[in-house]
Amino acid sequence: MNGRLEAEAIRDPAAYDAVLFDFDGTLVDTMPLHFEAYRRTFDELGLELTHEDFFRNIGGTALETIPKFLRGRSTTWTVVEIHERKKRALAEILEDCPLSPLPISRLLPLLHGRVPMAVATSGARPGVSRMIARLGWERFFGAVVSAEDVRHGKPAPDLFAEAARRLGVDPRRCLVFEDTDDGAAAGRAAGATVVDVRAMAAPAAHQQLR
């Protein structure tokens, strides 16, 4: 998306039929929490997960990204078992860790009641739902679409296409906010207009790797 169109989209998001948000790294600075949960899980396996391995491969569903994290290294756990243990580790972290909303989240109360909104995330539903509830954001979203709801994660268009379907709108009339290359590609593949939030106010975790 070019700079002029991006500026126009941010100026009047309500001109679209719906606004679709990625969650982690777009609305809330949770990527460091996910990294820590995966790091602890890989540590149990006796394997190292580096910042670079994590942030360069994140974007798709866990079942798609965990093999990339492994880089061909053998393990006694299946990908599904690794994901389940990671979810438990994240739940433990969320018990005590404060959540840090990102600047794009300021759009939520401004757009509430003016345009339908949804979350389309590669994250697992339990963690995402828990964080949305903690932040008191349930009222903002007409749909929350997560990894469990689609066959293919980002960069495939499935998540955004399904979010649009649940809101009853054409994805080509949607505005998408994203923070990863795969996420932006997914939005474009769905036919939506995409705003890359990294060009605005990226979390520190992304700034380290750009």
Side-chain angles (χ1 to χ4, degrees):
M1 182 175 182
N2 65 45
R4 180 181 63 80
L5 287 175
E6 186 167 286
E8 290 175 357
I10 295 168
R11 187 178 305 116
D12 190 14
Y16 293 82
D17 289 349
V19 181
L20 313 178
F21 296 92
D22 172 56
F23 190 78
D24 298 299
T26 297
L27 289 173
V28 187
D29 193 11
T30 51
M31 300 307 285
L33 308 184
H34 286 284
F35 169 72
E36 177 59 18
Y38 271 117
R39 188 201 64 75
R40 293 182 187 182
T41 302
F42 271 59
D43 189 58
E44 287 185 62
L45 283 167
L47 299 175
E48 180 186 20
L49 178 67
T50 67
H51 276 90
E52 182 173 2
D53 280 341
F54 178 78
F55 286 105
R56 290 198 186 283
N57 291 299
I58 203 69
T61 67
L63 300 185
E64 293 166 332
T65 55
I66 288 171
K68 297 177 184 177
F69 297 159
L70 286 170
R71 292 188 282 105
R73 293 173 291 180
S74 61
T75 172
T76 56
W77 298 351
T78 67
V79 170
V80 171
E81 288 171 332
I82 292 173
H83 186 213
E84 289 301 317
R85 292 186 185 231
K86 179 266 178 178
K87 287 192 289 186
R88 290 200 292 270
L90 181 63
E92 293 172 1
I93 291 169
L94 289 175
E95 288 289 339
D96 303 310
C97 184
L99 296 176
S100 301
L102 291 166
I104 289 299
S105 68
R106 297 171 191 163
L107 288 174
L108 299 179
L110 297 176
L111 295 177
H112 183 51
R114 298 175 60 202
V115 61
M117 294 184 286
V119 166
T121 174
S122 296
R125 180 173 297 279
V128 173
S129 297
R130 183 174 184 177
M131 288 185 274
I132 288 174
R134 275 187 58 184
L135 292 161
W137 287 353
E138 300 103 315
R139 68 189 188 279
F140 294 138
F141 303 118
V144 175
V145 181
S146 61
E148 296 90 336
D149 299 316
V150 296
R151 183 182 296 271
H152 302 293
K154 302 167 186 177
D158 302 32
L159 282 161
F160 291 117
E162 177 63 14
R165 187 192 70 79
R166 293 188 185 187
L167 293 179
V169 300
D170 186 333
R172 294 172 296 181
R173 289 286 306 152
C174 291
L175 179 64
V176 164
F177 286 94
E178 260 290 353
D179 74 309
T180 66
D181 291 342
D182 280 352
R188 288 192 293 269
T193 298
V194 178
V195 174
D196 186 340
V197 302
R198 293 172 296 184
M200 301 164 61
H206 286 303
Q207 292 173 352
Q208 290 175 6
L209 294 171
R210 294 190 69 196

